[in-house]
Each structure stands twice: as structure tokens, then as C-alpha cells.
């Protein structure tokens, strides 16, 4: 399973990239607003992210009709060759994705909450599908069960996207290392994680305790 970083924060991306940990970045309007992003700087900012990451960078459209989405997607895809256009799972989004497939523009279909949405997204030609986990948990549903169903359904078939590449599942809205571990066990292709979750994924109390003991014991060696 690959890791994408779910952020628009350049410092977080630089740090995670230096670990060799991330294969891409996902952004959305909320994440751009969170870093105080301005409309006039949006394209420039996405361009900076694209330079920092050797992999796909999702930039989301906020347009609502097929023609507007397609036009916006063309604009976003001109920012850099590694831009992937993020489009919400809705009828106009499916139609736009189908058009963009003909133009070779990769799409990450976002806000996916069901197996049927995922299959339609894949059928329309999306390069990535993003089922959300945490937001199901927010409404007292089991987000991991939903993700598992989507992964199983998509793996039953072959869904070629741009350049003949197979559709990939991005487990999104992940809030904890357990979400990430379960996504890996069920065979999600990619986990997109906020930086705090990525850091938590490295940590384990037994690693800390073991390291403490090694350092203490090494003092005995130095003193012997
Ligand atoms: O990639 C989607 C993600 O940003 C949504 O996460 O925590 O806002 O549900 P969250």
C-alpha cells in the first residue's frame, strides 16, 4: 500500500517527502482554507506541491456542472503533469470524468460512500476512487466496513483508466493508525493520511521503551 499525504501544507509535505514515505498528495478546499490559502494563489500553490512530490497531486474542482468541471479540470491539469483532478461523486462528475478520460486527464473521484458509487466512478473512467472512512464513523456507522466492501467490489473486476492504468482505491478520511492498518489488510491501494496520523504510524510505546533500555544498557558498556 502506498501513502499519500492529505494536506496542503508545504512544510508537512517537505518533511514527509524527506522520509521517503509518500507517493503523492491529496488536497481539498477545506485543507487549502486551513492553511489560509487565497484564491489568487491556488494554482501557484498546487504547482509548488507538484514540485515537492514525485507522484500524483490531487487538486479539487468546486464546479458543479459537467461542462464547468471539464473546463476547470483542463485548467488544473495544465498546472503540472502530475496533477490529478479531484471531482465529487455525482452525476455531473461522472459525465465530466467520462469526457476527461477521452482527453487523458486523470480523475480522483472523491466523497465516495458506497459500493455503487465506487463502481460507477470506476466505470466512468476515474483513475482513483476515494472512499471516506472517518466521516462514516462520525455518523455512528462503520467506515472500515464500508471501505472493505468498496475494495472487494472493485477488485472483482478490471477497470482501465487513462493510459490503460487500472483504477486504484485511495482510503481517505483516515483518522488513526488503526484505520491505516485495516486499510492495508483489506488491500486498499493507497492510504491518504493527515501528517499527524502519518507521524502516529511511526510510533509505538514498545519501540520507545526498548530504545530507552538500549541507551541505558549502553551506558554500562561505556563504563565497563
Ligand atoms: O481526503 C479526504 C479527507 O481530507 C477528508 O478527511 O477528516 O475531513 O473527513 P476528513
Amino acid at each position: 500500500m502506498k501513502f499519500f499525504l492529505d494536506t496542503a501544507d508545504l512544510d508537512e509535505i517537505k518533511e514527509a517527502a524527506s522520509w521517503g514515505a509518500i507517493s503523492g498528495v491529496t488536497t481539498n478546499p477545506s485543507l487549502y482554507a486551513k492553511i489560509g490559502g487565497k484564491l489568487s494563489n491556488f494554482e501557484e500553490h498546487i504547482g509548488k506541491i507538484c514540485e515537492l512530490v514525485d507522484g500524483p497531486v490531487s487538486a479539487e474542482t468546486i464546479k458543479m456542472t459537467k461542462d464547468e468541471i471539464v473546463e476547470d479540470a483542463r485548467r488544473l491539469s495544465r498546472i503540472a503533469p502530475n496533477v490529478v483532478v479531484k471531482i465529487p461523486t455525482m452525476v455531473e462528475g461522472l459525465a465530466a470524468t467520462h469526457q476527461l478520460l477521452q482527453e487523458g486527464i486523470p480523475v480522483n473521484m472523491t466523497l465516495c460512500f458506497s459500493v455503487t458509487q465506487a463502481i460507477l466512478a470506476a466505470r466512468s473512467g476515474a483513475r482513483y476512487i476515494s472512499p471516506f472512512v472517518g466521516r462514516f464513523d462520525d455518523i455512528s456507522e462503520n467506515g472500515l466496513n464500508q471501505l472493505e466492501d468498496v475494495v472487494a467490489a472493485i477488485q472483482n473486476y478490471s477497470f482501465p483508466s487513462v493510459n490503460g492504468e487500472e483504477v486504484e482505491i485511495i482510503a481517505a478520511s483516515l483518522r488513526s493508525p488503526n484505520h491505516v492498518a485495516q486499510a492495508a489488510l483489506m488491500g486498499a491501494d493507497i492510504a491518504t493520511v493527515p501528517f499527524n496520523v502519518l507521524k502516529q504510524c511511526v510510533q509505538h510505546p514498545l519501540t520507545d521503551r526498548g530504545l530507552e533500555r538500549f541507551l541505558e544498557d549502553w551506558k554500562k558498556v561505556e563504563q565497563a
Side-chain angles (χ1 to χ4, degrees), residues 2 27 33 54 58 72 77 81 83 113 126 132 143-144 148 157 163 170 210:
K2 289 173 277 191
T27 69
D54 185 16
S58 290
D72 206 35
S77 72
V83 164
F113 291 94
F132 278 32
L144 286 171
E148 189 169 27
Y157 306 97
N163 304 321
I170 304 179

Side-chain angles (χ1 to χ4, degrees), residues 169-211:
I169 300 289
I170 304 179
S173 184
L174 300 179
R175 310 265 178 82
S176 68
N178 183 52
H179 277 168
V180 178
Q182 297 307 315
L185 288 168
M186 60 184 70
D189 302 291
I190 298 151
T192 191
V193 290
F195 191 48
N196 69 316
V197 174
L198 187 68
K199 284 192 288 190
Q200 287 170 16
C201 286
V202 188
Q203 293 159 355
H204 196 284
L206 290 178
T207 304
D208 296 342
R209 204 184 305 167
L211 180 57

Side-chain angles (χ1 to χ4, degrees), residues 1-221:
M1 185 177 73
K2 289 173 277 191
F3 281 95
F4 284 4
L5 203 61
D6 198 25
T7 185
D9 187 307
L10 296 178
D11 290 334
E12 292 181 350
I13 294 166
K14 276 183 211 158
E15 174 72 18
S18 78
W19 305 351
I22 56 165
S23 306
V25 166
T26 49
T27 69
N28 64 33
S30 306
L31 293 170
Y32 188 57
K34 189 175 163 192
I35 59 153
K38 294 186 175 55
L39 184 59
S40 56
N41 287 350
F42 181 65
E43 290 188 19
E44 188 188 340
H45 191 81
I46 294 294
K48 283 182 186 164
I49 296 176
C50 288
E51 282 173 19
L52 290 174
V53 184
D54 185 16
V57 172
S58 290
E60 188 158 342
T61 180
I62 44 89
K63 303 296 183 189
M64 295 301 289
T65 67
K66 178 201 163 188
D67 289 345
E68 285 175 336
I69 294 169
V70 167
E71 195 182 319
D72 206 35
R74 290 176 185 145
R75 175 183 66 86
L76 292 170
S77 72
R78 280 194 292 269
I79 298 172
N82 50 336
V83 164
V84 171
V85 181
K86 216 172 179 186
I87 299 179
T89 309
M90 57 183 184
V91 169
E92 296 287 322
L94 292 175
T97 300
H98 184 57
Q99 169 65 37
L100 293 167
L101 174 66
Q102 323 304 317
E103 301 182 22
I105 296 176
V107 167
N108 173 2
M109 191 135 271
T110 189
L111 290 171
C112 173
F113 291 94
S114 73
V115 169
T116 50
Q117 284 181 317
I119 291 183
L120 285 167
R123 181 56 66 201
S124 73
R127 175 68 181 82
Y128 303 96
I129 303 170
S130 294
F132 278 32
V133 172
R135 292 196 192 181
F136 259 120
D137 296 352
D138 291 343
I139 58 161
S140 303
E141 298 281 341
N142 189 322
L144 286 171
N145 285 351
Q146 293 291 339
L147 175 64
E148 189 169 27
D149 287 349
V150 167
V151 170
I154 294 297
Q155 284 177 350
N156 279 339
Y157 306 97
S158 171
F159 293 108
S161 179
V162 288
N163 304 321
E165 291 172 297
E166 279 288 309
V167 67
E168 289 183 283
I169 300 289
I170 304 179
S173 184
L174 300 179
R175 310 265 178 82
S176 68
N178 183 52
H179 277 168
V180 178
Q182 297 307 315
L185 288 168
M186 60 184 70
D189 302 291
I190 298 151
T192 191
V193 290
F195 191 48
N196 69 316
V197 174
L198 187 68
K199 284 192 288 190
Q200 287 170 16
C201 286
V202 188
Q203 293 159 355
H204 196 284
L206 290 178
T207 304
D208 296 342
R209 204 184 305 167
L211 180 57
E212 221 170 88
R213 193 183 300 172
F214 284 153
L215 292 174
E216 278 305 310
D217 287 343
W218 192 249
K219 282 183 196 159
K220 296 174 200 161
V221 173

